[in-house]
Amino acid sequence: VMVLAPAGIGKSRLRREIVARVQRSGTRVISARCDALYAGSPNHAVAELVRLSADIHEDQAADVRRERLVAYVDAAFPEGMRPRACDFLGELLRAPGEQPSPLVRAARNDPRVMAEQVREVFEAWLRALTEEGPLLVVLEDVHWSDASSARLFESALEVLADARGVQE
């Protein structure tokens, strides 16, 4: 659902009321706000969504961000996917590991490899969340989003469309 209206008409209130109702039904809600300051930053909207879901803050020291990321990935991903999830979510959130894996080193030198790995990990993250139960993703101020985040969301919707309960 996309809500378009002039400023001050009540979009934020509508969002709060819908989110409260959906949460009461047991649906998990993850959300982020797109920011004009980062409008051209690749994958910023996706990074913000993951960062807020994992309770990671940009102003935290890199080692704290990494520690929180590892704890979040351990709880959110199947065991076999955790190392790659830590690697590429770490790249996305500027919380890299001390010793980058060969795949991370290769991806740092090839934007296509990085984009593919980030896409796969993002889709795996959303798949893991939807396997736990219903999920509502809320993005505010999408007009400030970046094109790469939009492509990631579009791809994830396509991949997850066959999952039970996912609606476009």
Side-chain angles (χ1 to χ4, degrees):
V1 174
M2 185 176 296
V3 177
L4 303 171
I9 200 103
K11 297 180 301 292
S12 293
R13 180 178 175 165
L14 176 63
R15 179 208 30 94
R16 281 192 306 272
E17 290 182 17
I18 289 172
V19 165
R21 180 175 286 181
V22 166
Q23 286 176 321
R24 283 193 302 272
S25 75
T27 297
R28 181 178 190 160
V29 178
I30 58 175
S31 63
R33 177 183 299 272
C34 301
D35 188 327
L37 184 62
Y38 300 102
S41 300
N43 296 327
H44 187 266
V46 167
E48 191 68 8
L49 189 67
V50 175
R51 183 180 296 111
L52 292 173
S53 297
D55 196 28
I56 297 170
H57 306 281
E58 288 184 284
D59 61 349
Q60 293 171 321
D63 60 330
V64 173
R65 289 193 311 265
R66 183 66 181 190
E67 182 180 304
R68 286 188 176 205
L69 174 63
V70 169
Y72 182 75
V73 165
D74 284 350
F77 282 87
E79 189 172 343
M81 182 70 181
R82 290 175 189 162
R84 193 162 64 124
C86 279
D87 282 346
F88 288 96
L89 291 180
E91 292 295 302
L92 191 64
L93 303 181
R94 287 178 279 146
E98 289 183 25
Q99 297 295 324
S101 70
L103 187 54
V104 168
R105 286 194 303 273
R108 286 177 179 170
N109 292 319
D110 187 338
R112 289 177 299 190
V113 172
M114 182 64 77
E116 179 68 15
Q117 292 300 313
V118 168
R119 183 191 59 75
E120 288 179 11
V121 168
F122 178 65
E123 289 171 1
W125 175 60
L126 289 177
R127 184 178 305 107
L129 293 179
T130 58
E131 287 173 358
E132 293 174 4
L135 174 69
L136 172 63
V137 177
V138 178
L139 291 175
E140 287 196 71
D141 296 328
V142 174
H143 57 283
W144 295 120
S145 181
D146 57 281
S148 54
S149 288
R151 283 191 301 273
L152 283 172
F153 282 109
E154 185 175 318
S155 174
L157 280 173
E158 288 175 15
V159 167
L160 296 172
D162 292 333
R164 190 174 138 217
V166 175
Q167 298 177 0
E168 290 190 51

